[in-house]
Amino acid sequence: MRHFLLFGLALASAGALQAQDPRLEGRLDPTTQAAVTGLLDSARAAGLPTEPIVDKVLEGMTKRASPDRIVAALRTLSTALRSARVALGPGAPEGDVIAGASALRAGAKPETLERISGVRGKAGLSVPLAVLSDLVARGVPVDTAATVIVHLAQGGATDADYTGLERGVARDIGAGAPPGAAAAIRARVAVTEGQSNGNGPPPGIPPKSPKEPRAKIPARP
Amino acid sequence: MHDDHDELIGRVVDELRAPVALDPAFDARVMAAVRQAAPGRWRLALRWWIEPRPFRLSPLTGLAAAAALAGLVVLGARAFEPRPAGGAATAPAIIVASTAPGSEVVQFVLVAPQASTVAVVGDFNDWDPGRTPLQATAGGGVWSVNLPLRAGPHQYAFVVDGKDWRPDPAAPRAVTDDFGAPNSVIIVGGKST
């Protein structure tokens, strides 16, 4: 009986140590520490990644944010992680869940995550969702950004296509193009190039029309 | 009648053939007058610049010259563009090399002539300002560091002189700003897939 008690005590201590990230040790007041530990435990129990939560605490401490503000930010982040996990399914990799949470916080709808996940399959969602958040951050309306990302996924776009899109849109916006138009035009170009590489056009985007022969100008008499 | 004319012509010819006796100072006077009338070097140079003259140019050469002129005007205008307050401007973080699979070397650059120290903080170094200082170039003002980062999105910011938080103006800002000091975002990866 005594051995069982000691074993249980050891397990509880190990659990507490696991809940307490070593990077946070001794850096938070007891109240904040308790709140953070509770959120980390809750995240672990739900199968959510805890690294973004620890990272958010570290960011808040470095920026000298108040404990209340740090805890509020953690709650918002935890909610987004939970929603992303639900949208992407229990088997989704942590990186996809983190990128999904970021996209949701950028304004994307859970259905958008589900659609991209359904099309991309095991190709990973981290880069497409990060580009979605990036486009919104650059001023592209969230609906336009989501549509572009989904269409590219349906066209078989690779991660390189997404990062290429992101850089192209950034250049166009820098040159003065409206963000929404820049994203739509770049997506169109990426899809057209995908077609020429053998990928079919995604639904909603008609195939590129063949070049019509130029009309002949009659020779002068 | 003819003899009279012949005699007159002969006399005229003789008169023309006779040597003319010139004043010995005549040459000197003529040369002095010529020197006085001739324009100076500076006047000649000025005249070279202001006198109109025709020249020939092919349309292609003319276009090239116009393009070059326009380029010079644009470059000159950019050189005089105002800089952000504090004399700081940034170049975006750029991926300079691929290292191990799933990771790439990213170069962070900040132009901050008046800064004493610059560090980059982000989710890749636990937001620790003491961990990744930027090095100033020999001329000063341009700060940079190369950092291997794993693939995926990363949030980061610059810390100038230990207290001034600056996002990278050339990179997109993170949509969320939880603590009142916005971060920038870089997406690493997406090259090999």
Side-chain angles (χ1 to χ4, degrees), chain A residues 21 23-24 36 39-40 43-44 47-60 70 73-82 84-85 93-102 105, chain B residues 122-123 126-127 150 153 155 176 178-179 183:
Chain A
D21 189 286
R23 290 170 291 177
L24 305 179
V36 170
L39 283 165
L40 285 171
R44 277 195 200 94
L48 301 176
T50 54
E51 181 58 27
I53 297 174
V54 174
D55 182 69
K56 188 59 73 179
V57 177
L58 294 169
E59 181 191 348
I70 292 175
L74 294 186
R75 289 193 200 287
T76 307
L77 176 61
S78 295
T79 304
L81 287 168
R82 205 172 295 269
R85 167 65 79 197
E94 285 196 350
D96 290 2
V97 175
I98 295 168
S102 180
R105 293 191 74 189
Chain B
D123 54 20
D126 293 339
W127 300 90
R150 62 179 165 73
Q155 292 199 15
T176 52
D178 294 310
F179 303 118
N183 301 323

Side-chain angles (χ1 to χ4, degrees), chain A residues 23 27 51 55-66 69-71 73 76 99 102 105-107 123 126-127 130-131 133-134 136-138 158-161 163 166-167, chain B residues 95 104 121-124 126-129 131 150-153 155 157 159 162 165 170-183 185 187-193:
Chain A
R23 290 170 291 177
R27 299 182 67 184
E51 181 58 27
D55 182 69
K56 188 59 73 179
V57 177
L58 294 169
E59 181 191 348
M61 286 195 302
T62 306
K63 291 181 176 177
R64 301 178 197 282
S66 69
R69 198 164 182 178
I70 292 175
V71 173
T76 307
S102 180
R105 293 191 74 189
S126 178
V127 171
V131 171
S133 303
D134 180 283
V136 174
R138 291 186 187 277
T158 63
D159 284 354
D161 292 330
T163 50
E166 181 249 338
R167 288 178 192 133
Chain B
I95 295 162
E104 287 173 349
V121 293
D123 54 20
F124 40 82
D126 293 339
W127 300 90
D128 184 351
R131 207 185 289 183
R150 62 179 165 73
Q155 292 199 15
V159 184
W165 285 76
R173 290 189 184 186
V175 179
T176 52
D177 175 16
D178 294 310
F179 303 118
N183 301 323
V185 179
I187 301 172
V188 177
K191 280 184 173 177
S192 55
T193 41

Side-chain angles (χ1 to χ4, degrees), chain B residues 6-33:
Chain B
D6 289 345
E7 186 187 347
L8 178 61
I9 289 168
R11 279 164 52 197
V12 168
V13 167
D14 289 344
E15 188 65 26
L16 289 173
R17 281 178 177 166
V20 178
L22 290 176
D23 181 353
F26 179 77
D27 284 351
R29 286 205 307 273
V30 168
M31 289 312 295

Side-chain angles (χ1 to χ4, degrees), chain B residues 51-104:
Chain B
E51 271 189 355
R53 71 195 68 200
F55 66 94
R56 301 175 69 184
L57 197 65
S58 76
L60 194 61
T61 313
L63 273 175
L69 189 63
L72 282 174
V73 169
V74 169
L75 284 175
R78 282 189 182 176
F80 286 98
E81 275 180 357
R83 295 292 174 92
T90 61
I94 51 168
I95 295 162
V96 292
S98 293
T99 51
S103 122
E104 287 173 349

